């Protein structure tokens, strides 16, 4: 397992949802809790594709609701692993509304940390991440900073 590595593209996930009446909040927009569930599922699947193990979400950060979504909107959610630690993986999840011309507008961006679990439900080592593009290398550098921030926040108790 130690020398095993997978490409960023190996973990790429894309899901599609249509905003239906049961997804709305009282203001007639997509309810944030529903979107967070969809985002969490995408992050877990991307992480699973990377490590081929069961995973659990340990943290969600920078979850940013940029724009609302409305009834009948087509929602596209894209996730991919951007960084790996020892047993954890950071997954970047971008959510878009896609219009009839295929144009996508970013409505949410989130970074989730997933931990790989063994059969005993304890964290286990994950494969290395093989970076192929300049964009992936830049994302890795930013992810290292986010990882440091999370450690500081955890140590600080907030
Ligand atoms: C995930 C869990 C197993 C980790 O257990 P733990 O005792 O913290 O384990 P460790 O301290 O060894 O940490 C494991 C990894 O998680 C990371 N981690 C722990 N707490 C974290 C936090 N708050 N934010 C980001 N990463 C965190 C650690 O840095 C470590 O990563 P690394 O191995 O890549 O360095 C445990 O916290 C848990 O079960 N949490 C509940 C998860 C859950 O139920 N999620 C909701 C349902 S999906």
């Amino acid at each position: 397992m130690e020398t095993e590595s997978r490409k960023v593209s190996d973990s790429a996930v894309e899901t599609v949802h249509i905003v239906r009446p049961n997804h709305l909040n009282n203001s007639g927009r997509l309810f944030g809790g529903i979107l967070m569930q969809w985002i969490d599922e995408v992050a877990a699947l991307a992480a699973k594709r990377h490590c081929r193990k069961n995973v659990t979400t340990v943290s969600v950060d920078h979850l940013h609701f940029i724009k609302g979504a409305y009834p009948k909107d087509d929602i596209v959610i894209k996730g991919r692993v951007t960084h790996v630690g020892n047993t954890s993986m950071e997954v970047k999840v971008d959510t878009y509304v896609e219009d009839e011309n295929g144009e996508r507008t970013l409505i949410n961006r989130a970074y989730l940390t997933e931990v790989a679990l063994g059969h005993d439900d304890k964290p286990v080592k994950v494969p290395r991440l093989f970076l192929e593009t300049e964009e992936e290398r830049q994302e890795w550098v930013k992810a290292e900073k986010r990882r440091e921030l999370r450690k500081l926040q955890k140590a600080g108790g907030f």
Side-chain angles (χ1 to χ4, degrees), residues 12-149:
V13 173
E14 185 168 317
T15 59
V16 177
H17 299 270
I18 298 167
V19 180
R20 300 191 192 284
N22 57 315
H23 300 140
L24 302 181
N25 63 19
N26 290 340
S27 312
R29 293 167 171 233
L30 173 61
F31 174 47
I34 296 275
L35 180 56
M36 287 195 276
Q37 179 185 329
W38 295 342
I39 288 170
D40 193 35
E41 287 167 352
V42 164
L45 182 53
K48 254 189 197 171
R49 284 184 177 174
H50 180 78
C51 68
R52 302 189 184 165
K53 298 253 182 290
N54 190 21
V55 300
T56 190
T57 306
V58 69
S59 82
V60 180
D61 55 24
H62 301 278
L63 188 119
H64 185 197
F65 291 99
I66 302 161
K67 287 188 168 141
Y70 298 88
K72 299 184 192 162
D73 275 351
D74 294 321
I75 306 291
V76 178
I77 306 179
K78 293 176 71 169
R80 64 195 166 141
V81 173
T82 47
H83 186 274
V84 298
N86 188 33
T87 64
S88 69
M89 297 150 280
E90 183 193 75
V91 184
K92 179 180 185 179
V93 183
D94 280 338
T95 304
Y96 303 86
V97 169
E98 183 173 308
D99 70 15
E100 53 276 13
N101 300 316
E103 292 277 327
R104 291 179 177 184
T105 303
L106 185 70
I107 64 160
N108 190 290
R109 172 161 290 168
Y111 293 91
L112 294 87
T113 306
E114 304 285 327
V115 175
L117 300 174
H119 295 299
D120 58 359
D121 241 18
K122 297 267 178 352
V124 287
K125 202 166 172 55
V126 297
R128 302 297 82 205
L129 189 63
F130 183 65
L131 305 170
E132 294 185 292
T133 68
E134 188 49 36
E135 191 192 346
E136 289 168 4
R137 281 186 276 276
Q138 284 179 14
E139 193 67 72
W140 174 280
V141 171
K142 290 185 207 158
E144 297 246 274
K145 291 181 184 151
R146 287 189 291 270
R147 182 176 160 89
E148 282 314 304
L149 263 177

